[in-house]
């Protein structure tokens, strides 16, 4: 929804004022819209674009060197008036005639057309190119009836680059019409946007559904289906677009195209990149050479949830014009001095670490430790969801996933280390690095620190004794506290680790064997982990709901307790 | 919410793959993140940034010429591992040492710190600069504890521009620390984002409330208040930031600062521009010279609803570094050959039209028409809400507002035309242009066409007769149908205009006087407007809910009927 506004009636005027204040080096305001604040070459064609507001970067964000000379700005989703178009054209005119371009909507066609007639009457040559890229809005036979969506940019960009090169109005019109005929888009929507001050969205798509082909103002689409996966969406869009290869392109295989994957407002960059990954695979498979694609927000509808894919089929001239540099408020490319590409094969990326020689006793211990890691992996696999649930109460709910990623990587690294005859110390070190590397987050680092503490205490030579393990855990406890700065009572893993290592140390000192001492220590850890339910988190990065976690044990303490209990079973098996 | 993904566990990996596919000219992938795909000057410092994913453009979108040399990419909102940091540094190293910079979060501090130690052990000089711009996250006395938010960019940009200029590691570290100490941000949030596959948002802010100072991962803020107006938000943010002018800046008055107004995901550009309008006024009032501000999305949290304001207080060196060119996937500036600014005072903006001389009879008619326009203005003022409500059923609900804007402008233009002794034709022409210009949208244009048809039929010389008016309305009907392409039965204003003009023509032909003929025509229009309730719209740009409008009369037809009835009252008064 649109939350930030003053008087809704003044929304567009105030947004325009703010836009011009932020981008004075590119644009200045004139009655009806904005024009470039920089000088253009006298005698060149001026490209004037426009339409309703609410679609930023379209249209005002696309005014600047290498792109439009002016943008006419209507009210929210409403065509500007003919007077506005006329005013912006008069101000943008460089003496080479005016090319008007805009999406093919009834109101815009009327008003830009009226303005064109008036300009021609006054002796200013003027042509109109309506953008008709939306393949869902009419059949191919009725192409001139199609609406314009994100493909606007390819037409504007081509026209403007041609104008910048000194093309005549006739020639600018020719290339921008050619660009339009080689541009095909298709969009989907998940929900509509809310106008400032409105009680509800302009339209809704039913929860869990995706409207295929819905227009950027909610114009009817072609069908409705369940929200697909990112890959399925890529497949849907690419397959429809490839059904309609424009005249002049022999076949997809061997063709060049630019690609625009456009977010309409609240589909964010990361999601678009996940979709683009598959789009790019599919285009490569179809034999299409992708030229300077764009993934981001090019034409929005306030905070509408939706996206569109555009293919712009290039020939030599259109490719040159598409690649030409631009410096506008919201679209810039081709700046700076050219830089040579690097040779990625020569990058300094660390090699696999060498495995130091190990004693037979240590290699045997490595086997036991590997077995324990395998058991822990199974434990975490079985409990990842529950750990995530615990974490979601006061954190970001990723503790289960993080532990799973970590232990899977650690266990795989340990398996591989065994095949290379690693001792206990090296196996633990490689498992530690893999855990920390793959798990990410603070808990990943802490498990890395613990396993590394075990690694350095056990080494690759001694036969590990109960005393070694007790020492190792004492070092792990001390390193973790040093590293993570957590104290007892902060509601972290330390609250379970402290009684665990203290009990283990004491029991071993008192002459207990490893299995027995570990069992008592594990029981202490279990009890302590449960007791964290009474605490409130004191540190950490994503704990806005810290208070809410009272009554729930800390997931880090809980997973430590579960793990030491599982390891206890392995120790008992080996000792027994 | 995050809708587009495949396996949520693979979200970041797949997003990275898509990102690199889209931006191969800027970046290439290495274990742990991305580095520039372009050569950097040998021996220069490499600036490596990073943190959790989900914040695009931060961090990977900021890698490229003039900005970072590499970005380490952790999982969603989770710190990357030390191994990842190390790997990216090794690949990004140009031989001049490494500057690591990132937001001040516990996990990042740990992992980047570990990687730094390892790099130094291996003989690669490395420094760390944590960004601490968020003034809500700790008091000024505890500045090093503050979190890093959108101010990241000023520190990264400054460090990178210094590296590009050949500064030593010591010098790059010095300027980036200085930049950090001169950067202050404050954020607000309205709602949290939803991780891929999650059932609910990471956190919520209560409906209608705004959390002040809430962090980008939902870290606790400082207070909660009702959602303010855009201006109030600007005032809140600016006043807090001006309370903490950094050391080295004598006073706000006369200082230079860059300004970042950052959207966190679903607060859109238009809203940010409305806020920026007021920010820019307030900074100007405080005597601050604003240098190359940025309004847009610089650090997001997926689709989180929130925004932040950053002030970056400049000195000569920092200003030069801030202005330096950049060409990265998500941030570009200073491209192309410099262009001279235009002289806005010399723009060709149309002058006021001259008023042609009018006959006394026509000037008298102009007075009556002006009176009618005034009555219509009052009518529309009283009914704007109702017309909006009708329009909201099948359209975008702006018919009432549009009519209001149009008739207010038309009536003001007519008033002014009277003071300049305009005849009926000229008064109607000026009213027509004002209506079409200010109302916007198709209905604005149509009223412009109607009033212009009246204008050209009545002219400035004849004394208008009943016959003139009947002819004028016939012309208006014909022009409107020609212009708007609507036919009878399309559920538009034409459905009321057709019987109105036909009845008027027939009655006048039959010898009826104007008041009587107009009354019968108005009754026909009223009946016809009500009958549009049975129709479904056939044309128009925002009618996804067309079917829903059955049972509701067309707002355009309805307003026409209301208007001709009101004009009838004026005619009766004058005739009687």
């Amino acid at each position: 929804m649109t939350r930030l506004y003053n008087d809704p009636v003044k929304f567009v005027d105030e947004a325009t004022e703010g836009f011009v204040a932020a981008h004075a080096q590119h644009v200045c305001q004139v009655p009806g819209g904005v024009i470039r604040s920089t000088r253009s070459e006298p005698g060149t064609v001026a490209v004037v674009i426009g339409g309703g507001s609410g679609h930023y970067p379209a249209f005002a964000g696309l005014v600047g060197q290498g792109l439009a000379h002016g943008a006419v700005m209507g009210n929210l989703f409403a065509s500007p008036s003919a007077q506005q178009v006329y005013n912006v054209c008069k101000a943008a005119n460089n003496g080479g005639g005016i090319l008007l371009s805009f999406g093919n909507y009834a109101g815009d066609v009327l008003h830009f057309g009226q303005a064109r007639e008036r300009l021609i009457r006054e002796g200013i040559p003027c042509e109109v190119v309506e953008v008709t890229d939306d393949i869902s809005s009419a059949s191919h036979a009725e192409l001139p009836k199609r609406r314009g969506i994100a493909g606007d940019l390819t037409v504007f960009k081509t026209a403007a680059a041609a104008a910048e090169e000194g093309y005549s109005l006739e020639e600018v019109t020719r290339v921008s019409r050619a660009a339009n005929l080689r541009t095909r888009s298709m969009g989907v929507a998940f929900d509509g946007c809310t106008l400032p001050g409105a009680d509800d969205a302009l339209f809704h798509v039913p929860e869990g559904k995706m409207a295929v082909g819905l227009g950027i103002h909610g114009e009817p689409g072609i069908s409705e289906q369940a929200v697909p996966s990112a890959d399925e969406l890529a497949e849907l869009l690419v397959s429809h677009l490839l059904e309609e290869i424009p005249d002049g392109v022999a076949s997809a295989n061997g063709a060049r195209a630019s690609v625009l994957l456009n977010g309409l407002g609240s589909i964010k960059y990361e999601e678009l990149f996940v979709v683009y990954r598959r789009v790019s695979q599919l285009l490569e498979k179809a034999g299409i050479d992708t030229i300077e694609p764009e993934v981001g927000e090019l034409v929005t509808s306030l905070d509408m949830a939706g996206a569109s894919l555009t293919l712009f089929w290039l020939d030599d001239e259109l490719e040159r014009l598409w690649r030409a540099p631009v410096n506008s408020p919201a679209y810039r490319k081709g700046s700076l001095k050219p830089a040579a590409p690097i040779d990625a094969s020569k990058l300094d990326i660390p090699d696999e670490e060498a495995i130091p020689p190990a004693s037979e006793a240590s290699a045997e211990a490595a086997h036991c430790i590997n077995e324990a890691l395998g058991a822990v992996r199974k434990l975490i696999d079985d409990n990842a969801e529950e750990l995530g649930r615990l974490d979601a109460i006061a954190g970001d709910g990723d503790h289960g996933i993080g532990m799973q990623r970590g232990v899977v990587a650690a266990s795989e690294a340990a398996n591989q280390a065994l095949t290379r005859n690693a001792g206990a110390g090296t196996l633990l070190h490689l498992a530690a690095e893999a855990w920390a590397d793959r798990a990410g987050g603070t808990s990943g680092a802490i498990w890395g620190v613990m396993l590394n503490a075990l690694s350095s205490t056990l080494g690759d030579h001694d036969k590990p004794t109960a005393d070694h393990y007790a020492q190792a855990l004492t070092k792990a406890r001390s390193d973790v506290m040093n590293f993570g700065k957590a104290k007892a009572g902060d509601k972290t893993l330390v609250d379970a680790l402290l009684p665990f290592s203290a009990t283990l140390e004491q029991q071993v000192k008192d002459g207990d064997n490893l299995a027995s001492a570990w069992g008592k220590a594990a029981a202490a850890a279990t009890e302590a982990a449960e007791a964290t339910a009474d605490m409130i988190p004191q540190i950490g990065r994503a704990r806005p709901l810290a208070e809410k976690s009272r009554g729930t044990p800390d997931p880090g303490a809980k997973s430590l307790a579960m793990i030491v209990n599982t390891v206890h079973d392995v120790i008992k098996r080996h000792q027994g």
Side-chain angles (χ1 to χ4, degrees), chain A:
Chain A
M1 61 181 289
T2 299
R3 290 176 173 87
L4 295 173
Y5 53 87
N6 299 305
D7 179 353
V9 170
K10 294 184 182 155
F11 185 75
V12 167
D13 288 345
E14 295 188 344
T16 304
E17 214 179 302
F19 164 72
V20 172
H23 293 288
Q25 77 274 38
H26 294 113
V27 297
C28 63
Q29 198 167 357
V30 295
V34 295
I35 62 165
R36 291 191 196 176
S37 62
T38 53
R39 262 179 223 288
S40 304
E41 202 61 41
T44 55
V45 173
V47 175
V48 173
I49 63 176
S53 292
H55 300 300
Y56 194 88
F59 296 90
L62 305 177
V63 173
Q65 281 183 282
L67 239 171
H69 295 77
V72 194
M73 302 165 72
N75 225 297
L76 280 175
F77 303 156
S79 159
S81 69
Q83 181 72 40
Q84 286 184 282
V85 180
Y86 173 80
N87 287 345
V88 172
C89 289
K90 291 284 278 186
N93 186 13
N94 303 317
I98 309 275
L99 190 281
L100 291 172
S101 191
F102 48 86
N104 185 35
Y105 296 93
D108 296 310
V109 172
L110 291 171
H111 294 123
F112 282 84
Q114 285 186 311
R116 170 173 179 260
E117 284 171 22
R118 184 166 168 198
L119 290 163
I120 290 175
R121 277 201 305 273
E122 295 185 12
I124 299 176
C126 180
E127 292 294 344
V128 158
V129 176
E130 293 108 351
V131 183
T132 56
D133 57 317
D134 183 357
I135 65 168
S136 308
S137 55
S139 71
H140 185 250
E142 295 196 307
L143 199 142
K145 285 196 181 173
R146 286 181 172 172
R147 303 181 293 247
I149 51 174
D152 278 356
L153 180 66
T154 69
V155 180
F156 301 164
K157 169 79 178 75
T158 307
E164 211 81 35
E165 286 191 12
Y167 278 41
S168 69
L169 178 59
E170 192 187 343
E171 287 289 282
V172 171
T173 308
R174 175 187 60 76
V175 289
S176 43
R177 291 217 169 110
N180 180 51
L181 289 175
R182 283 169 166 260
T183 300
R184 297 283 188 282
S185 302
M186 180 162 171
V188 296
F190 307 98
D191 207 3
C193 61
T194 310
L195 298 173
D199 291 331
D200 195 11
L202 205 50
F203 63 89
H204 285 295
V205 176
E207 181 75 25
K209 293 282 180 184
M210 175 176 83
V212 179
L214 199 80
I216 56 175
H217 315 93
E219 297 90 341
I222 52 179
S223 65
E224 215 167 77
Q225 61 171 77
V227 171
S229 72
D231 282 0
E232 286 162 356
L233 176 60
E235 285 148 20
L236 173 86
L237 295 174
V238 170
S239 67
H240 274 94
L241 291 179
L242 291 188
E243 275 166 17
E244 225 191 78
I245 297 172
D247 294 344
V249 178
S251 78
N253 193 5
R256 281 165 292 171
S258 189
V259 184
L260 315 182
L261 181 59
N262 176 57
L264 280 165
S266 61
I267 299 297
K268 300 312 300 178
Y269 310 102
E270 288 83 355
E271 295 174 270
L272 293 175
F273 287 132
V274 172
V275 175
Y276 186 73
R277 168 185 163 275
R278 185 74 187 130
V279 167
S280 138
Q281 290 169 349
L282 293 168
L283 295 180
E284 195 181 334
K285 207 169 134 199
I288 297 170
D289 187 10
T290 299
I291 309 289
E292 297 197 354
E294 294 288 344
V295 180
E297 298 186 326
L298 305 163
V299 172
T300 62
S301 278
L302 295 173
D303 64 333
M304 177 170 168
S308 66
L309 183 70
T310 300
L311 287 187
F312 176 28
W313 302 83
L314 301 167
D315 60 19
D316 289 346
E317 182 180 41
L318 294 174
E319 179 177 343
R320 189 188 74 241
L321 297 170
W322 178 248
R323 285 182 184 274
V326 177
N327 191 9
S328 72
Y331 188 73
R332 300 173 200 174
K333 69 193 281 182
S335 62
L336 303 190
K337 57 184 178 195
I342 59 168
D343 180 353
S345 69
K346 293 198 178 146
L347 290 175
D348 185 1
I349 294 165
D351 289 332
E352 209 175 49
E353 288 186 49
I355 300 281
S359 73
E360 206 169 309
S362 184
E364 200 188 309
H367 274 274
C368 300
I369 293 166
N370 185 51
E371 189 182 327
L373 274 168
V376 172
R377 174 180 177 166
K378 184 171 179 321
L379 169 80
I380 298 295
D381 270 344
D382 293 346
N383 290 279
E385 209 161 312
E386 169 65 8
L387 291 172
R389 205 190 51 75
L390 286 182
D391 186 36
I393 291 164
D396 53 9
D398 68 354
H399 183 70
I401 294 176
M403 288 294 288
Q404 204 171 14
R405 273 197 306 259
V407 78
V408 166
S411 154
E412 281 172 5
N415 274 324
Q416 233 216 333
L418 270 196
T419 66
R420 298 168 71 205
N421 306 315
T426 295
L427 178 136
L428 280 163
H429 171 65
L430 293 173
E433 295 299 310
W435 191 316
D437 185 28
R438 292 299 306 161
T442 306
S443 89
I446 282 172
W447 278 93
V449 166
M450 284 200 283
L451 296 183
N452 265 328
L454 267 63
S455 161
S456 63
T457 311
L458 301 187
D460 287 334
H461 301 290
D462 298 339
K463 179 183 165 68
T465 62
D467 204 44
H468 277 120
Y469 282 108
Q471 278 172 40
L473 263 300
T474 302
K475 176 163 169 43
R477 188 251 301 148
S478 141
D479 285 1
V480 163
M481 290 179 71
N482 206 11
F483 176 91
K485 317 286 182 214
K487 305 178 303 296
D490 283 353
K491 193 165 186 162
T492 70
L493 160 149
V494 165
D495 291 309
L497 182 56
L498 267 171
F500 178 76
S501 66
T503 307
L504 185 67
E505 193 176 2
Q506 190 57 49
Q507 292 304 120
V508 169
K509 204 191 231 170
D510 291 353
D512 228 354
N513 68 28
L514 181 62
S516 162
W518 192 287
K520 287 170 194 153
T526 306
E527 196 183 320
E530 292 305 325
T532 59
D534 300 331
M535 304 171 182
I536 297 171
Q538 299 300 314
I539 52 176
R541 67 188 284 185
R543 300 185 175 251
L545 309 171
E547 277 293 339
K548 274 206 182 169
S549 84
R550 203 194 286 273
T552 308
D554 176 65
K558 177 97 185 171
S559 52
L560 179 90
M562 289 164 62
I563 287 170
V564 292
N565 277 294
T566 294
V567 172
H568 184 222
D569 296 339
V570 178
I571 296 174
K572 278 192 295 187
R573 231 175 9 251
H574 276 268
Q575 194 154 310

